[in-house]
Amino acid sequence: MPFAAETPDSLGTYQELPGINRGDDAVATRSDVRGFLLSQYRADTDEGNSLRFLFETERGRSQYVNVIGGQGIPYVLVTSPVGPTSAIDANILLALTEDRTMGVKQIGGMYFVVAAALIEDLQSKELLGPLFTVLADADAYEEKLGLGDRL
């Protein structure tokens, strides 16, 4: 069952999510990041260094978000799939990202929206902001590219 996520309308700005504590609760270790996320959301997949969450957007679409952080790596990588490289014209995807702050990366045969957050002194708002921005951007790109609600 996906979690409801209040995300911005098509390529809009990040909006505050009700019920999420965005105070000064530091999650400064990989273990703290993992614990914080699992206390807020149920993981669809948990592979130790990688968590995958399925969210339902306010537009009735669903979107996966991955949070990846390996031992000894000073950051977590937040990714959300846009679609397979074989179904997307990279130039069109890059044109959609011109006014956005998150990056797009090809991993294997897929394009993902990506963000990195340094773990040291990381606070919940510094993790959830990129998480939900990545989610919203990937979902909007997927929709604008006519890919349907695939991922």
Side-chain angles (χ1 to χ4, degrees), residues 81-130:
V82 176
T85 56
S86 61
I88 298 172
D89 180 327
N91 290 323
I92 294 172
L93 177 59
L94 290 174
L96 290 174
T97 68
E98 284 180 341
D99 296 327
R100 304 307 298 161
T101 57
M102 300 297 147
V104 173
K105 183 173 183 152
Q106 180 180 341
I107 303 172
M110 297 284 293
Y111 287 119
F112 290 83
V113 176
V114 298
L118 290 174
I119 293 174
E120 187 176 332
D121 299 324
L122 184 67
Q123 297 177 356
S124 62
K125 63 185 172 193
E126 295 165 334
L127 177 61
L128 292 178

Side-chain angles (χ1 to χ4, degrees), residues 17-72:
L17 298 172
I20 300 297
N21 178 2
R22 294 181 187 267
D24 291 329
D25 46 335
V27 287
T29 68
R30 187 176 61 85
S31 177
D32 291 338
V33 169
R34 179 182 170 73
F36 172 75
L37 289 170
L38 291 174
S39 76
Q40 300 294 319
Y41 311 105
R42 185 179 65 248
D44 183 66
T45 304
D46 181 349
E47 297 179 354
N49 289 335
S50 175
L51 297 169
R52 183 173 79 169
F53 302 93
L54 178 61
F55 291 93
E56 187 173 303
T57 70
E58 64 186 13
R59 294 179 293 157
R61 296 169 50 85
S62 59
Q63 190 69 32
Y64 283 110
V65 175
N66 308 293
V67 179
I68 305 160
Q71 193 75 316

